[in-house]
Amino acid sequence: MTVQTLDDVHRLHPWSPRHGEAPSIEFLWRFELEAAPADVWRATADTSRLNRALGTAEMFFDERDGQRFGRSRSGGRAHRWREVPWNWVAGEWLECVRLYDAGYPRAMHAVQRVEPRGTGTTYLAYFGFTPRGMLGRAALRFGFGSLEKTYRQVMAALDRQLVSLAPMLPLPPPSLPPDTVARLTTLRAELLGKGLDRDGVTRLVDWVAGADDLEIGRIQVRERARAWGLDEDRLLGVFLHATRAGLLELSWDVVCPHCRGAGGVGQLDALPASAHCEICRLDFGTDRDNAIEITFRVHRSIREVPERHFCSAEPARKEHIRVQWVVPAGDRVELAPSLAPRRYRARVEGEERYGYLDVGDAGDDAVDWSASAPPAERAVTAMPRLRLANDRADEAVFIVEDARWSDVALRPGQLLSFQEFRDLFSEEYLGSDVQLAIGEQTILFTDMVGSTNLYATRGDPAAFVEVRKHFTSVFSLIASHRGAVVKTIGDAAMGAFGDPLDAVKCAKAIHDRFPPGCADSVAVLRISLNTGPCIAVRLNANIDYFGSTVNVAAKLQACAESWQIAMSRATYDAPGVAAWLREQDAAVEDDAYHSPALPAPIDVRRWTVHRM
C-alpha cells in the first residue's frame, strides 16, 4: 500500500497505548528517488550512517536486563531513553519507538518506508513526538521543522550515489597527523618488501588512511577481498603480515547465535568456553558452529577508531533478520512479507525453540504461529501470510531470519588451516577448557613406509636427516595447496584443508615429489584422507585437531601402501573430487576399513598414484 497521508501511517503503524500518550507533533516527508528500492533500503536501513549525514548527535547505548538504553545530548539538553525493540520487514519498512526519561520528548515514534515506484522508489520518513511540556513542544517543532531541508539534501545526494553505483552515503575522510602518514608510508614499503600482493597492500593502506570510522571499525577480510576484487587467500596473507607489522589488530569475535552481535578478544587463549548475550538473554557455548568469527581492527597506534552510534539501527545491525515484530500479550498480528526463495528460521526472542520456513514456488500461503509454539518445518510461498498470536502473559518479539550464516565471515577452521597464520602466530593457543568448533575439514596423514628399516640400516642421525628433509617438502606442498600442517608424529605428518579437492591434489603432489627411483630422497610415503567436522583443542600449548574425522583419517593409513592414497567416501564424494580424478585417469579401487570399534565399515577409495 502506498502511504499518502498521516492517516495512512496511523493505520499501518498504529501507536500502542502501552507506550503512553499518543504523539501530538508529527512530520511526514516524501521523497521520489530514481534508485531501485533494494538499494534505497540497504542505504537507509543503516539509520546510524543516515543520521550522521543529517548531523544528528552521537548516541551511546548499553544493555541492561535484556533492554537497550540510549543517551545523547541534543539542542543543549541531555536525552535518555529506553529503546523499544524495533519492528521491520526487511526491504519494505522499519519502525522505531523510544520512551524518554529525560529530554524534550516523552516518546518518539519513527517510521521509514521504501515503496516501489515505476523504475524508482518512493521513500517516506515519519516522525511523531509526545512532547515534554511547552519547552519540549517548541524545541521539537523548531528542530524537526528545520531538519526537513537537510533531509532532502541528504536524500538527493544519496540518490545520486546509488544511481552511480556508489552504495554508501559519502562521508568526509579523516584527518591524519603527519607522523601517522609517514608511518603508513613506511609500513606500505615494509609489506611490499615481503613480496606480498601489491594490490592488496596498496588497497589496505589507502583504506586505513582514508576510510570513515563507521566503515573501518570491524574489518572482514573476505568482504574486503570481494569488494576490491582480490584473491581471498592472498589478501588474508596481507592482513596477517599487516597485523604482525602493527598496522592491524586481530580479533577473535564471539557471535551470538540470535542477534549475531559480536564481542571480541585479542588473543586466542582469551576465548571463553561459553558466553552470554545480554540483549537476547541467551547463554551459549563457543563450541557451536559459527560461534566464532575472526575480524581485524586498525591498530590503535595508527588510528583510534571508536565504536560510534548515531542510531540503534537494528535492521542494519541484524541484516539476517527479515521480519521482527513486537506483539503485546494477548494480541494478534497478520503480515505478508516478501521473502526470497531459501530457508528461514522462525523464533521468539530469548528462546531456543525454532521453526523453519522453506520459501519456494509451492507451499502454504498462510502460517499460524503462536508464541508458545513455533511453526514446524513448513514449505511456504514467497509472500506467506504470517498470523502471529501472542498467547503469553508478556510481550513477545516474533522473528523470521535467514537460516544461512554470512558467507563473508572468516571462521576458525579457515584460519587455523591457513599455514601462513600458523607460521606467523605460532604463539597463539587455546584455553585449556575451550573446544572450538572449526567446521568441516579434510584431514591428510602421510606416513613413511619402511622407516623402521631406514633407521636400522642408516643409523639414527642419517635417518633423521632424511626424515627432516622429506618434511620440508611435505610442509611446502601442504601450504601451497591452501592447507596447514597441524603436527608431526614421528615420521608422519598431519595436515588440514578447508577444501577436500585441495587435499586430494596435495596428496598427489606429495607422491609426485617422492616417486619410485627419486634421486634426492629415499622417502616412500602412503597417504590417507578423510573429510568431516572437527574441533580444535589445546594440547601441550599447541593447537591440535580432534574428533572422529581425525581418528578415521589416521585409521585409513591401514588401507594404503607405498605411493597410494586411501580416501574416505566423504572425501571422494566432495564437490569436484571425482571429476578431477577422472581428469587424471586415476584408477580408483573400492575398499573398506573394518574395525570392531566402529558401528559399520568405512567405504574407502584407493588410488595408486605410482607403481614400481
mmCIF file of all heavy atoms in Angstrom, residues 393-432:
data_model
loop_
_atom_site.group_PDB
_atom_site.id
_atom_site.type_symbol
_atom_site.label_atom_id
_atom_site.label_comp_id
_atom_site.label_asym_id
_atom_site.label_seq_id
_atom_site.Cartn_x
_atom_site.Cartn_y
_atom_site.Cartn_z
ATOM 1 N N ALA A 393 1.902 -14.157 28.727
ATOM 2 C CA ALA A 393 1.480 -13.111 29.652
ATOM 3 C C ALA A 393 2.268 -11.816 29.476
ATOM 4 O O ALA A 393 1.926 -10.793 30.076
ATOM 5 C CB ALA A 393 1.600 -13.604 31.095
ATOM 6 N N ASP A 394 3.344 -11.848 28.686
ATOM 7 C CA ASP A 394 4.125 -10.646 28.435
ATOM 8 C C ASP A 394 4.341 -10.510 26.933
ATOM 9 O O ASP A 394 4.001 -11.412 26.162
ATOM 10 C CB ASP A 394 5.470 -10.707 29.165
ATOM 11 C CG ASP A 394 6.262 -11.967 28.817
ATOM 12 O OD1 ASP A 394 5.679 -12.874 28.188
ATOM 13 O OD2 ASP A 394 7.452 -12.049 29.157
ATOM 14 N N GLU A 395 4.864 -9.365 26.497
ATOM 15 C CA GLU A 395 5.039 -9.144 25.067
ATOM 16 C C GLU A 395 6.048 -10.132 24.500
ATOM 17 O O GLU A 395 6.956 -10.603 25.196
ATOM 18 C CB GLU A 395 5.473 -7.705 24.787
ATOM 19 C CG GLU A 395 6.885 -7.376 25.145
ATOM 20 C CD GLU A 395 7.256 -5.934 24.777
ATOM 21 O OE1 GLU A 395 6.355 -5.088 24.609
ATOM 22 O OE2 GLU A 395 8.470 -5.661 24.659
ATOM 23 N N ALA A 396 5.893 -10.434 23.233
ATOM 24 C CA ALA A 396 6.779 -11.383 22.548
ATOM 25 C C ALA A 396 7.291 -10.740 21.264
ATOM 26 O O ALA A 396 6.544 -10.041 20.570
ATOM 27 C CB ALA A 396 6.038 -12.681 22.233
ATOM 28 N N VAL A 397 8.571 -10.973 20.972
ATOM 29 C CA VAL A 397 9.178 -10.469 19.745
ATOM 30 C C VAL A 397 9.292 -11.641 18.777
ATOM 31 O O VAL A 397 10.086 -12.564 18.985
ATOM 32 C CB VAL A 397 10.563 -9.848 20.017
ATOM 33 C CG1 VAL A 397 11.145 -9.282 18.725
ATOM 34 C CG2 VAL A 397 10.474 -8.771 21.088
ATOM 35 N N PHE A 398 8.484 -11.624 17.717
ATOM 36 C CA PHE A 398 8.494 -12.676 16.696
ATOM 37 C C PHE A 398 9.547 -12.337 15.653
ATOM 38 O O PHE A 398 9.611 -11.197 15.172
ATOM 39 C CB PHE A 398 7.122 -12.782 16.035
ATOM 40 C CG PHE A 398 6.040 -13.355 16.914
ATOM 41 C CD1 PHE A 398 5.423 -12.581 17.873
ATOM 42 C CD2 PHE A 398 5.654 -14.681 16.781
ATOM 43 C CE1 PHE A 398 4.417 -13.095 18.675
ATOM 44 C CE2 PHE A 398 4.649 -15.217 17.577
ATOM 45 C CZ PHE A 398 4.036 -14.422 18.534
ATOM 46 N N ILE A 399 10.342 -13.329 15.281
ATOM 47 C CA ILE A 399 11.463 -13.095 14.379
ATOM 48 C C ILE A 399 11.489 -14.155 13.284
ATOM 49 O O ILE A 399 11.373 -15.356 13.568
ATOM 50 C CB ILE A 399 12.799 -13.103 15.151
ATOM 51 C CG1 ILE A 399 12.878 -11.881 16.066
ATOM 52 C CG2 ILE A 399 13.994 -13.141 14.203
ATOM 53 C CD1 ILE A 399 14.043 -11.910 17.025
ATOM 54 N N VAL A 400 11.648 -13.705 12.049
ATOM 55 C CA VAL A 400 11.920 -14.589 10.907
ATOM 56 C C VAL A 400 13.274 -14.176 10.361
ATOM 57 O O VAL A 400 13.464 -13.022 9.964
ATOM 58 C CB VAL A 400 10.837 -14.462 9.822
ATOM 59 C CG1 VAL A 400 11.180 -15.351 8.628
ATOM 60 C CG2 VAL A 400 9.467 -14.822 10.377
ATOM 61 N N GLU A 401 14.211 -15.108 10.344
ATOM 62 C CA GLU A 401 15.585 -14.767 9.957
ATOM 63 C C GLU A 401 16.135 -15.757 8.951
ATOM 64 O O GLU A 401 15.712 -16.920 8.905
ATOM 65 C CB GLU A 401 16.488 -14.728 11.195
ATOM 66 C CG GLU A 401 16.578 -16.037 11.940
ATOM 67 C CD GLU A 401 17.207 -15.897 13.321
ATOM 68 O OE1 GLU A 401 17.611 -14.792 13.681
ATOM 69 O OE2 GLU A 401 17.265 -16.912 14.037
ATOM 70 N N ASP A 402 17.069 -15.272 8.161
ATOM 71 C CA ASP A 402 17.758 -16.127 7.195
ATOM 72 C C ASP A 402 18.491 -17.225 7.954
ATOM 73 O O ASP A 402 19.270 -16.944 8.865
ATOM 74 C CB ASP A 402 18.743 -15.271 6.399
ATOM 75 C CG ASP A 402 19.201 -15.949 5.112
ATOM 76 O OD1 ASP A 402 19.291 -17.191 5.109
ATOM 77 O OD2 ASP A 402 19.476 -15.242 4.133
ATOM 78 N N ALA A 403 18.220 -18.475 7.599
ATOM 79 C CA ALA A 403 18.876 -19.586 8.287
ATOM 80 C C ALA A 403 20.343 -19.717 7.908
ATOM 81 O O ALA A 403 21.111 -20.368 8.616
ATOM 82 C CB ALA A 403 18.144 -20.894 7.993
ATOM 83 N N ARG A 404 20.740 -19.073 6.808
ATOM 84 C CA ARG A 404 22.145 -19.140 6.387
ATOM 85 C C ARG A 404 22.966 -18.153 7.205
ATOM 86 O O ARG A 404 22.486 -17.095 7.602
ATOM 87 C CB ARG A 404 22.280 -18.787 4.912
ATOM 88 C CG ARG A 404 21.457 -19.633 3.970
ATOM 89 C CD ARG A 404 21.530 -19.051 2.567
ATOM 90 N NE ARG A 404 21.157 -17.637 2.562
ATOM 91 C CZ ARG A 404 21.268 -16.846 1.501
ATOM 92 N NH1 ARG A 404 21.756 -17.328 0.380
ATOM 93 N NH2 ARG A 404 20.895 -15.573 1.561
ATOM 94 N N TRP A 405 24.211 -18.507 7.438
ATOM 95 C CA TRP A 405 25.141 -17.587 8.068
ATOM 96 C C TRP A 405 25.931 -16.857 6.996
ATOM 97 O O TRP A 405 25.988 -17.297 5.849
ATOM 98 C CB TRP A 405 26.077 -18.336 9.021
ATOM 99 C CG TRP A 405 25.416 -18.655 10.322
ATOM 100 C CD1 TRP A 405 24.500 -19.642 10.547
ATOM 101 C CD2 TRP A 405 25.596 -17.993 11.570
ATOM 102 N NE1 TRP A 405 24.094 -19.632 11.856
ATOM 103 C CE2 TRP A 405 24.755 -18.630 12.513
ATOM 104 C CE3 TRP A 405 26.385 -16.928 11.986
ATOM 105 C CZ2 TRP A 405 24.695 -18.234 13.842
ATOM 106 C CZ3 TRP A 405 26.327 -16.531 13.319
ATOM 107 C CH2 TRP A 405 25.483 -17.171 14.224
ATOM 108 N N SER A 406 26.520 -15.751 7.388
ATOM 109 C CA SER A 406 27.266 -14.925 6.445
ATOM 110 C C SER A 406 28.349 -15.735 5.747
ATOM 111 O O SER A 406 29.099 -16.471 6.381
ATOM 112 C CB SER A 406 27.908 -13.739 7.177
ATOM 113 O OG SER A 406 28.829 -13.076 6.345
ATOM 114 N N ASP A 407 28.438 -15.579 4.433
ATOM 115 C CA ASP A 407 29.490 -16.283 3.695
ATOM 116 C C ASP A 407 30.747 -15.435 3.572
ATOM 117 O O ASP A 407 31.693 -15.834 2.891
ATOM 118 C CB ASP A 407 28.994 -16.730 2.322
ATOM 119 C CG ASP A 407 28.671 -15.564 1.398
ATOM 120 O OD1 ASP A 407 28.607 -14.423 1.881
ATOM 121 O OD2 ASP A 407 28.470 -15.801 0.191
ATOM 122 N N VAL A 408 30.767 -14.250 4.202
ATOM 123 C CA VAL A 408 31.997 -13.457 4.193
ATOM 124 C C VAL A 408 32.733 -13.548 5.522
ATOM 125 O O VAL A 408 33.809 -12.966 5.687
ATOM 126 C CB VAL A 408 31.719 -11.962 3.873
ATOM 127 C CG1 VAL A 408 31.100 -11.827 2.501
ATOM 128 C CG2 VAL A 408 30.865 -11.305 4.931
ATOM 129 N N ALA A 409 32.171 -14.274 6.481
ATOM 130 C CA ALA A 409 32.837 -14.403 7.777
ATOM 131 C C ALA A 409 34.050 -15.321 7.661
ATOM 132 O O ALA A 409 34.001 -16.361 6.999
ATOM 133 C CB ALA A 409 31.861 -14.952 8.817
ATOM 134 N N LEU A 410 35.137 -14.937 8.316
ATOM 135 C CA LEU A 410 36.328 -15.786 8.401
ATOM 136 C C LEU A 410 36.211 -16.616 9.671
ATOM 137 O O LEU A 410 36.240 -16.086 10.781
ATOM 138 C CB LEU A 410 37.599 -14.936 8.432
ATOM 139 C CG LEU A 410 38.929 -15.686 8.550
ATOM 140 C CD1 LEU A 410 39.151 -16.592 7.350
ATOM 141 C CD2 LEU A 410 40.093 -14.712 8.728
ATOM 142 N N ARG A 411 36.056 -17.918 9.513
ATOM 143 C CA ARG A 411 35.832 -18.821 10.638
ATOM 144 C C ARG A 411 37.147 -19.436 11.121
ATOM 145 O O ARG A 411 38.142 -19.496 10.371
ATOM 146 C CB ARG A 411 34.854 -19.928 10.237
ATOM 147 C CG ARG A 411 33.486 -19.421 9.786
ATOM 148 C CD ARG A 411 32.747 -18.739 10.896
ATOM 149 N NE ARG A 411 31.442 -18.244 10.464
ATOM 150 C CZ ARG A 411 30.688 -17.442 11.177
ATOM 151 N NH1 ARG A 411 31.110 -17.030 12.370
ATOM 152 N NH2 ARG A 411 29.524 -17.031 10.721
ATOM 153 N N PRO A 412 37.170 -19.938 12.365
ATOM 154 C CA PRO A 412 38.406 -20.517 12.896
ATOM 155 C C PRO A 412 38.990 -21.623 12.033
ATOM 156 O O PRO A 412 40.212 -21.716 11.878
ATOM 157 C CB PRO A 412 37.980 -21.035 14.270
ATOM 158 C CG PRO A 412 36.855 -20.147 14.674
ATOM 159 C CD PRO A 412 36.110 -19.855 13.408
ATOM 160 N N GLY A 413 38.137 -22.484 11.469
ATOM 161 C CA GLY A 413 38.655 -23.569 10.649
ATOM 162 C C GLY A 413 39.436 -23.072 9.449
ATOM 163 O O GLY A 413 40.433 -23.676 9.051
ATOM 164 N N GLN A 414 38.982 -21.952 8.867
ATOM 165 C CA GLN A 414 39.683 -21.396 7.713
ATOM 166 C C GLN A 414 41.025 -20.801 8.124
ATOM 167 O O GLN A 414 42.006 -20.911 7.389
ATOM 168 C CB GLN A 414 38.808 -20.332 7.049
ATOM 169 C CG GLN A 414 37.514 -20.885 6.469
ATOM 170 C CD GLN A 414 36.513 -19.785 6.178
ATOM 171 O OE1 GLN A 414 36.095 -19.042 7.047
ATOM 172 N NE2 GLN A 414 36.132 -19.669 4.927
ATOM 173 N N LEU A 415 41.059 -20.153 9.283
ATOM 174 C CA LEU A 415 42.296 -19.513 9.706
ATOM 175 C C LEU A 415 43.292 -20.522 10.261
ATOM 176 O O LEU A 415 44.483 -20.475 9.935
ATOM 177 C CB LEU A 415 41.996 -18.443 10.761
ATOM 178 C CG LEU A 415 43.181 -17.556 11.140
ATOM 179 C CD1 LEU A 415 43.659 -16.755 9.934
ATOM 180 C CD2 LEU A 415 42.824 -16.621 12.278
ATOM 181 N N LEU A 416 42.823 -21.445 11.088
ATOM 182 C CA LEU A 416 43.738 -22.417 11.694
ATOM 183 C C LEU A 416 44.295 -23.383 10.657
ATOM 184 O O LEU A 416 45.340 -23.997 10.884
ATOM 185 C CB LEU A 416 43.033 -23.188 12.808
ATOM 186 C CG LEU A 416 42.558 -22.353 14.009
ATOM 187 C CD1 LEU A 416 41.880 -23.238 15.041
ATOM 188 C CD2 LEU A 416 43.715 -21.593 14.642
ATOM 189 N N SER A 417 43.614 -23.534 9.537
ATOM 190 C CA SER A 417 44.116 -24.393 8.457
ATOM 191 C C SER A 417 44.801 -23.575 7.367
ATOM 192 O O SER A 417 44.951 -24.042 6.243
ATOM 193 C CB SER A 417 42.964 -25.216 7.860
ATOM 194 O OG SER A 417 42.442 -26.103 8.823
ATOM 195 N N PHE A 418 45.222 -22.364 7.722
ATOM 196 C CA PHE A 418 45.952 -21.489 6.810
ATOM 197 C C PHE A 418 47.389 -21.430 7.300
ATOM 198 O O PHE A 418 47.674 -20.908 8.383
ATOM 199 C CB PHE A 418 45.307 -20.102 6.822
ATOM 200 C CG PHE A 418 45.791 -19.173 5.738
ATOM 201 C CD1 PHE A 418 45.446 -19.390 4.412
ATOM 202 C CD2 PHE A 418 46.577 -18.070 6.038
ATOM 203 C CE1 PHE A 418 45.869 -18.523 3.416
ATOM 204 C CE2 PHE A 418 47.011 -17.207 5.053
ATOM 205 C CZ PHE A 418 46.651 -17.439 3.733
ATOM 206 N N GLN A 419 48.315 -21.997 6.515
ATOM 207 C CA GLN A 419 49.673 -22.190 7.006
ATOM 208 C C GLN A 419 50.343 -20.886 7.406
ATOM 209 O O GLN A 419 51.100 -20.837 8.379
ATOM 210 C CB GLN A 419 50.517 -22.887 5.939
ATOM 211 C CG GLN A 419 51.897 -23.307 6.428
ATOM 212 C CD GLN A 419 51.829 -24.312 7.567
ATOM 213 O OE1 GLN A 419 51.146 -25.326 7.458
ATOM 214 N NE2 GLN A 419 52.525 -24.045 8.671
ATOM 215 N N GLU A 420 50.058 -19.806 6.690
ATOM 216 C CA GLU A 420 50.710 -18.531 6.993
ATOM 217 C C GLU A 420 50.339 -18.052 8.390
ATOM 218 O O GLU A 420 51.153 -17.445 9.089
ATOM 219 C CB GLU A 420 50.341 -17.484 5.948
ATOM 220 C CG GLU A 420 51.413 -16.439 5.733
ATOM 221 C CD GLU A 420 51.344 -15.805 4.362
ATOM 222 O OE1 GLU A 420 50.471 -16.192 3.558
ATOM 223 O OE2 GLU A 420 52.179 -14.929 4.086
ATOM 224 N N PHE A 421 49.101 -18.324 8.814
ATOM 225 C CA PHE A 421 48.716 -17.964 10.181
ATOM 226 C C PHE A 421 49.518 -18.774 11.182
ATOM 227 O O PHE A 421 50.042 -18.231 12.162
ATOM 228 C CB PHE A 421 47.222 -18.200 10.406
ATOM 229 C CG PHE A 421 46.822 -18.107 11.852
ATOM 230 C CD1 PHE A 421 46.687 -16.874 12.473
ATOM 231 C CD2 PHE A 421 46.607 -19.263 12.604
ATOM 232 C CE1 PHE A 421 46.343 -16.786 13.816
ATOM 233 C CE2 PHE A 421 46.259 -19.181 13.944
ATOM 234 C CZ PHE A 421 46.123 -17.939 14.546
ATOM 235 N N ARG A 422 49.640 -20.061 10.973
ATOM 236 C CA ARG A 422 50.380 -20.898 11.919
ATOM 237 C C ARG A 422 51.855 -20.501 11.967
ATOM 238 O O ARG A 422 52.483 -20.570 13.028
ATOM 239 C CB ARG A 422 50.226 -22.373 11.558
ATOM 240 C CG ARG A 422 48.833 -22.933 11.905
ATOM 241 C CD ARG A 422 48.721 -24.405 11.573
ATOM 242 N NE ARG A 422 47.466 -24.972 12.048
ATOM 243 C CZ ARG A 422 47.303 -25.646 13.171
ATOM 244 N NH1 ARG A 422 48.338 -25.826 13.978
ATOM 245 N NH2 ARG A 422 46.134 -26.149 13.498
ATOM 246 N N ASP A 423 52.399 -20.075 10.844
ATOM 247 C CA ASP A 423 53.800 -19.648 10.826
ATOM 248 C C ASP A 423 53.990 -18.319 11.544
ATOM 249 O O ASP A 423 54.955 -18.138 12.308
ATOM 250 C CB ASP A 423 54.293 -19.535 9.382
ATOM 251 C CG ASP A 423 54.390 -20.878 8.680
ATOM 252 O OD1 ASP A 423 54.424 -21.910 9.370
ATOM 253 O OD2 ASP A 423 54.419 -20.885 7.432
ATOM 254 N N LEU A 424 53.094 -17.370 11.309
ATOM 255 C CA LEU A 424 53.244 -16.022 11.869
ATOM 256 C C LEU A 424 52.775 -15.919 13.312
ATOM 257 O O LEU A 424 53.248 -15.060 14.065
ATOM 258 C CB LEU A 424 52.465 -15.012 11.019
ATOM 259 C CG LEU A 424 53.018 -14.710 9.624
ATOM 260 C CD1 LEU A 424 52.018 -13.883 8.836
ATOM 261 C CD2 LEU A 424 54.349 -13.981 9.723
ATOM 262 N N PHE A 425 51.828 -16.779 13.718
ATOM 263 C CA PHE A 425 51.231 -16.678 15.047
ATOM 264 C C PHE A 425 51.369 -18.003 15.797
ATOM 265 O O PHE A 425 50.418 -18.504 16.379
ATOM 266 C CB PHE A 425 49.750 -16.284 14.936
ATOM 267 C CG PHE A 425 49.535 -14.914 14.350
ATOM 268 C CD1 PHE A 425 49.489 -14.734 12.975
ATOM 269 C CD2 PHE A 425 49.394 -13.802 15.167
ATOM 270 C CE1 PHE A 425 49.297 -13.475 12.423
ATOM 271 C CE2 PHE A 425 49.211 -12.543 14.627
ATOM 272 C CZ PHE A 425 49.164 -12.372 13.261
ATOM 273 N N SER A 426 52.575 -18.537 15.781
ATOM 274 C CA SER A 426 52.805 -19.837 16.413
ATOM 275 C C SER A 426 52.606 -19.803 17.919
ATOM 276 O O SER A 426 52.418 -20.844 18.556
ATOM 277 C CB SER A 426 54.219 -20.331 16.091
ATOM 278 O OG SER A 426 55.188 -19.387 16.543
ATOM 279 N N GLU A 427 52.608 -18.589 18.514
ATOM 280 C CA GLU A 427 52.434 -18.495 19.963
ATOM 281 C C GLU A 427 50.969 -18.534 20.378
ATOM 282 O O GLU A 427 50.652 -18.615 21.573
ATOM 283 C CB GLU A 427 53.081 -17.199 20.483
ATOM 284 C CG GLU A 427 52.292 -15.921 20.217
ATOM 285 C CD GLU A 427 52.435 -15.401 18.803
ATOM 286 O OE1 GLU A 427 53.114 -16.063 17.992
ATOM 287 O OE2 GLU A 427 51.862 -14.335 18.490
ATOM 288 N N GLU A 428 50.049 -18.464 19.416
ATOM 289 C CA GLU A 428 48.624 -18.495 19.749
ATOM 290 C C GLU A 428 48.237 -19.903 20.217
ATOM 291 O O GLU A 428 48.641 -20.904 19.637
ATOM 292 C CB GLU A 428 47.788 -18.113 18.525
ATOM 293 C CG GLU A 428 47.913 -16.666 18.116
ATOM 294 C CD GLU A 428 46.984 -15.754 18.892
ATOM 295 O OE1 GLU A 428 46.235 -16.256 19.756
ATOM 296 O OE2 GLU A 428 46.992 -14.540 18.640
ATOM 297 N N TYR A 429 47.433 -19.966 21.267
ATOM 298 C CA TYR A 429 46.938 -21.266 21.734
ATOM 299 C C TYR A 429 45.582 -21.080 22.385
ATOM 300 O O TYR A 429 45.201 -19.987 22.817
ATOM 301 C CB TYR A 429 47.918 -21.929 22.702
ATOM 302 C CG TYR A 429 48.199 -21.122 23.960
ATOM 303 C CD1 TYR A 429 47.391 -21.251 25.089
ATOM 304 C CD2 TYR A 429 49.265 -20.241 24.012
ATOM 305 C CE1 TYR A 429 47.638 -20.518 26.232
ATOM 306 C CE2 TYR A 429 49.524 -19.497 25.155
ATOM 307 C CZ TYR A 429 48.703 -19.644 26.258
ATOM 308 O OH TYR A 429 48.945 -18.897 27.385
ATOM 309 N N LEU A 430 44.837 -22.179 22.462
ATOM 310 C CA LEU A 430 43.507 -22.163 23.056
ATOM 311 C C LEU A 430 43.586 -22.302 24.566
ATOM 312 O O LEU A 430 44.525 -22.885 25.104
ATOM 313 C CB LEU A 430 42.671 -23.328 22.500
ATOM 314 C CG LEU A 430 42.073 -23.148 21.101
ATOM 315 C CD1 LEU A 430 41.624 -24.501 20.563
ATOM 316 C CD2 LEU A 430 40.906 -22.191 21.138
ATOM 317 N N GLY A 431 42.550 -21.775 25.238
ATOM 318 C CA GLY A 431 42.408 -22.051 26.660
ATOM 319 C C GLY A 431 42.179 -23.532 26.883
ATOM 320 O O GLY A 431 41.614 -24.233 26.031
ATOM 321 N N SER A 432 42.609 -24.032 28.012
ATOM 322 C CA SER A 432 42.559 -25.478 28.256
ATOM 323 C C SER A 432 41.133 -26.018 28.311
ATOM 324 O O SER A 432 40.919 -27.215 28.080
ATOM 325 C CB SER A 432 43.280 -25.807 29.568
ATOM 326 O OG SER A 432 42.681 -25.111 30.651
#
